[in-house]
Amino acid sequence: MTDSTGQQSRHFVLAAGGTGGHMIPAHALAAELMRRGHHVALVTDDRGARFPGLFAGVQTHIVPAGRLIGGPSGWLKAVKNIFAGRDMVRRLHEVFQPSAVIGFGGYPALPAMLAAAKDGIPTAIHEQNAVLGRVNRLLAGRVDAIATAYSKVDRLADKHSRKVRLVGNPVREEIVALRDQPFPTLTKDGVFRVLVTGGSQGATILSSVVPEALGLLPLGFRRRLQVTQQCRLEDIDSVRAKYAGLGIPADLATYLPDMPERLGWAHLVIGRAGASTVAELTAAGRPAILIPYPAATDDHQTANAREMVEAGGARAIPQPRFTPVELAKQMQKLALEPGALANAAKRAHGIGRPNATSALADLAEGLAPQSVAIERRRDRVTAAAAASRRKVGAA
């Protein structure tokens, strides 16, 4: 089967654990591959299959995926689940005949990638963070390519450096569109718009520290503020009361469905340093004060913030030092120094990788050139048919 350009349509399996950090980049790649005329199947877990608004038109396969925790008994159970999942994915390969398999991390990706290695299918992994994740560390020696979102990735062995391809972290098209819009005009007496985000569930420490910090700002500055803040449900009423007491207009919500629009008008973002957040900030070109989540595995959020801070597009405050006084001080340095925010926005913009989705799709297609992919698929079909005939004969 060929697409409208005459290129042979290929089949790709994407494997991702059930968190937004893994699922959103996988979704972006799936959409791009299908736009190019290819067919895509997703391997994930129960959580991944429940993500709203993702993978429309993509066949989804849920596999068991054990986490290597809980001591010897937990490890044994995890290994059994991993190999059971691997066998399920191998049966998918017999029918779907993928040209390549791309993993995005998370334990559900492990059985899919092991199945691909067993079946001799070309593979790649995509690492969203600036620290190679546990599952991707286990797979790094087995795969053909390692796609990264950062130029420097910790815990990536030197021996695997030849496999590395810097592509960036895919973000939504609505975010990339902000890249061509100028940084919002900020006059001396104009409205100063602050966007506060804390990951998919919000962050209680932001709800505690940010309002108090804004209350410490000089009165003239405080009267210019307009805040949009994501809060946990249990925090939202108290945060609303704090802002009302300070006389600061604030729009609060547990979820911000119009995040691209909010990011577009923001002069400053205060938030965590998750991979998607940093990718969106740099793609759009928005300055930030980042508070890395200290409990993130391998402290990867501190590493995520590193590139943006070094470029001058953000300031990072470790959570133990994230106090109202410190935040107010950093905000004044950015907001009251002439040109500081616009300069930070320009520097954030300069390290953005808006073509990450296209680059990752190019990498996926390059894993198995068209003629090779067709030949491999034909060989696997032939082998599967022969195995089926042997089973029938034995019966």
Side-chain angles (χ1 to χ4, degrees):
M1 178 180 177
T2 59
D3 63 19
S4 58
T5 66
Q7 294 293 313
Q8 184 73 29
S9 175
R10 282 173 260 173
H11 293 190
F12 294 91
V13 170
L14 310 187
T19 65
H22 300 309
M23 299 298 291
I24 291 173
H27 164 75
L29 177 60
E32 175 64 16
L33 289 173
M34 290 191 295
R35 188 190 68 78
R36 297 184 183 194
H38 302 304
H39 301 277
V40 177
L42 171 70
V43 173
T44 187
D45 59 2
D46 288 325
R47 291 186 303 163
R50 291 196 298 267
F51 263 77
L54 301 185
F55 297 98
V58 175
Q59 58 173 282
T60 299
H61 302 265
I62 300 173
V63 299
R67 300 188 64 188
L68 300 174
I69 56 175
S73 62
W75 300 338
L76 180 60
K77 181 179 178 181
V79 169
K80 288 181 178 178
N81 282 335
I82 290 168
F83 281 101
R86 184 199 67 174
D87 292 343
M88 290 175 63
V89 177
R90 293 192 70 192
R91 291 194 290 273
L92 167 63
H93 291 170
E94 292 178 4
V95 177
F96 193 65
Q97 298 295 316
S99 298
V101 178
I102 297 89
F104 288 82
Y107 283 101
L110 187 54
M113 303 306 291
L114 293 177
K118 187 76 172 177
D119 290 340
I121 301 170
T123 54
I125 51 177
H126 179 266
E127 178 54 61
Q128 301 86 48
N129 293 300
V131 180
L132 198 66
R134 292 175 181 174
V135 169
N136 281 346
R137 290 202 296 271
L138 290 172
L139 295 168
R142 296 173 176 264
V143 298
D144 298 295
I146 301 171
T148 64
Y150 296 87
S151 56
K152 179 181 178 182
V153 178
D154 298 341
R155 306 202 69 170
L156 176 60
D158 290 341
K159 64 183 178 181
H160 301 316
S161 60
R162 62 178 178 81
K163 301 180 181 182
V164 173
R165 304 290 185 272
L166 175 60
V167 300
N169 200 15
V171 298
R172 290 168 286 181
E173 292 182 4
E174 299 93 330
I175 298 292
V176 175
L178 298 176
R179 191 169 180 82
D180 296 327
Q181 299 180 16
F183 183 68
T185 301
L186 182 61
T187 62
K188 184 177 179 180
D189 299 317
V191 175
F192 186 98
R193 294 186 289 269
V194 180
L195 174 63
V196 186
T197 67
S200 60
Q201 299 298 320
T204 292
I205 191 169
L206 297 179
S207 295
S208 172
V209 171
V210 175
E212 190 173 341
L214 301 190
L216 296 176
L217 295 172
L219 183 60
F221 185 13
R222 195 167 72 226
R223 285 176 172 170
R224 297 168 54 200
L225 294 174
Q226 182 177 328
V227 178
T228 294
Q229 183 161 346
Q230 179 192 22
C231 303
R232 289 180 181 272
L233 182 60
E234 60 267 29
D235 298 330
I236 198 165
D237 289 337
S238 64
V239 175
R240 183 174 287 114
K242 290 176 184 177
Y243 282 125
L246 292 167
I248 298 175
D251 184 5
L252 310 180
T254 57
Y255 175 66
L256 300 173
D258 55 346
M259 180 62 79
E261 181 181 348
R262 305 283 188 171
L263 186 60
W265 60 241
H267 293 110
L268 177 67
V269 177
I270 301 172
R272 293 298 196 189
S276 294
T277 297
V278 174
E280 290 182 348
L281 289 169
T282 56
R286 291 297 181 269
I289 295 175
L290 301 174
I291 304 89
Y293 179 48
T297 305
D298 298 319
D299 196 22
H300 66 250
Q301 287 204 6
T302 296
N304 290 350
R306 179 175 55 208
E307 184 178 60
M308 195 174 176
V309 170
E310 290 177 351
R315 295 167 182 255
I317 304 175
Q319 186 160 305
R321 294 199 293 109
F322 183 57
T323 64
V325 171
E326 181 63 23
L327 178 58
K329 181 173 69 175
Q330 296 296 338
M331 284 190 67
Q332 288 187 81
K333 286 181 179 179
L334 276 171
L336 301 181
E337 183 179 320
L341 273 174
N343 183 56
K346 182 179 179 180
R347 290 173 178 270
H349 186 281
I351 60 170
R353 298 182 176 92
N355 299 319
T357 303
S358 178
L360 189 55
D362 289 345
L363 174 62
E365 288 182 326
L367 286 172
Q370 182 175 309
S371 59
V372 175
I374 295 169
E375 188 64 33
R376 281 177 173 159
R377 186 176 300 166
R378 185 183 298 119
D379 291 345
R380 289 199 295 271
V381 169
T382 302
S388 178
R389 288 195 296 271
R390 287 196 297 270
K391 288 180 181 179
V392 172

